[in-house]
Amino acid sequence: MPLIIMVGLPSSGKTRRAMEIATALEAEISSSTTPLRVPFDPKVLVINEESLGIDRATAFRDSSSEKIARAALLSAVERSLTRDKFVILDSMNYIKGFRYQLHCVAKGIATTQHTVYCMASPANCEKWNASREPANIRYPNDVLESLFGRLEEPDSRNRWDSPLLCLAPDATLPPSFVHSLVQANTGGAGTLAATNGAVAAGLAPSQSIALKPVADTNYLHEMDATLKAICDAVLDAVRRRDTIGGGGVVGGVGGADADEVSVPGSGSKVVLPSRNVSVTEMGRLRRLYAANLNRLTIKVDKTKIADGFVEFVNQNLR
């Protein structure tokens, strides 16, 4: 489900808008006649400083406490965001780098993020902050003045801010925005167009942030044993060749060809160079190939591991 990111100055009406969107989403979900995926039970969750027990008066007074507050908000989003839950992050989110982090979190589970910018002037924000009740939820004046200068306004040309919905204080929330969100994310074929913020299709995670599938518990052990067996076979063949003074590999894993070695687990052969091959060099190749395999987001078949390692060794022993 989408991550909806509220953006705006302090006391600009973000919480009011977040609750308005949450209420509209819940009403749209309950009234939707579109068949939902099974099993599937969409929920709406609002995350803000209050829900995490963060004191605004102290959390944004200095950079150290502000980093802690942002980390808490990011962790809450990472824990809560799933494909079955609408998450609304009700905070200032005024740093574009932080919004990019949130974009990556959403992309990592192949869902989308939508930015809602609550536009308001500093003068109105000061007035609304002074009218907050109880008084302990107000921003201190010095903190408020400092926060006014930190906002990096969202830009729809940035992929981490798009789609972008800009709302003036007295603007009405477009019904098509909420309707399209629900229809596009609950299995319906509904329209994907909203007013000035189009509802995006799910983003495919890139390799850098894609979640790796859960491998068998013995997968790493089998991979390491396969690579070690091939290394041992190559080193044994080199020792045998050196013992007889060159001219071919004899016995054991050796084959009839002068410079080729049959190895366990693969039908391909390792071509031995004329120079010496040390234990250190084979260990380095083994670690490098294993590291490359671990970066993949798919589990490689054991036979293909062996064949790939033979090819990798042949390329690096030339």
Side-chain angles (χ1 to χ4, degrees), residues 72-318:
L73 291 167
L74 181 62
S75 296
V77 170
E78 290 175 330
R79 291 193 304 269
S80 304
L81 188 63
T82 67
R83 296 185 182 182
D84 292 350
K85 187 181 295 181
F86 290 93
V87 175
I88 304 174
L89 180 57
D90 171 29
S91 185
M92 288 178 286
N93 303 314
Y94 53 81
I95 300 176
K96 62 182 179 181
F98 182 59
R99 297 198 296 271
Y100 177 73
Q101 285 183 282
L102 295 168
H103 168 79
C104 291
V105 171
K107 190 175 180 181
I109 63 169
T111 188
T112 58
Q113 116 283 328
H114 301 268
T115 306
V116 178
Y117 180 29
C118 298
M119 300 182 296
S121 66
N124 282 336
C125 292
E126 288 179 345
K127 181 175 66 175
W128 295 332
N129 183 65
S131 63
R132 280 176 175 267
E133 293 296 340
N136 63 350
I137 67 172
R138 301 172 187 168
Y139 289 95
N141 290 334
D142 58 332
V143 174
L144 193 66
E145 291 292 336
S146 175
L147 289 172
F148 284 161
R150 303 183 198 175
L151 176 64
E152 296 176 327
E153 292 188 352
D155 187 340
S156 61
R157 293 172 296 182
N158 298 329
R159 65 183 183 277
W160 56 87
D161 288 332
S162 179
L164 174 63
L165 176 64
C166 298
L167 294 174
D170 56 349
T172 301
L173 180 69
S176 57
F177 174 73
V178 173
H179 178 74
S180 298
L181 276 176
V182 174
Q183 293 299 311
N185 292 280
T186 57
T191 178
L192 294 182
T195 52
N196 62 338
V199 176
L203 300 173
S206 59
Q207 186 174 357
S208 61
I209 61 174
L211 298 177
K212 294 181 67 174
V214 178
D216 297 337
T217 55
N218 60 342
Y219 174 70
L220 291 178
H221 173 73
E222 290 182 354
M223 178 187 71
D224 186 66
T226 300
L227 302 183
K228 184 177 184 301
I230 294 175
C231 289
D232 289 345
V234 172
L235 292 172
D236 184 59
V238 171
R239 284 192 294 268
R240 290 173 179 271
R241 182 189 66 182
D242 293 343
T243 299
I244 64 175
V249 179
V250 296
V253 297
D257 295 331
D259 296 314
E260 293 185 347
V261 180
S262 298
V263 294
S266 175
S268 303
K269 294 182 179 181
V270 174
V271 180
L272 295 179
S274 57
R275 61 178 176 84
N276 183 48
V277 179
S278 67
V279 175
T280 302
E281 183 177 11
M282 289 303 299
R284 180 181 62 82
L285 295 179
R286 172 183 163 192
R287 290 190 299 272
L288 184 57
Y289 186 76
N292 290 336
L293 284 181
N294 285 328
R295 293 191 186 101
L296 299 177
T297 56
I298 58 174
K299 187 179 75 170
V300 181
D301 182 74
K302 183 178 178 181
T303 304
K304 293 183 179 178
I305 290 177
D307 291 339
F309 187 50
V310 170
E311 182 180 354
F312 181 76
V313 169
N314 285 334
Q315 290 176 349
N316 286 273
L317 289 184
R318 292 175 181 173

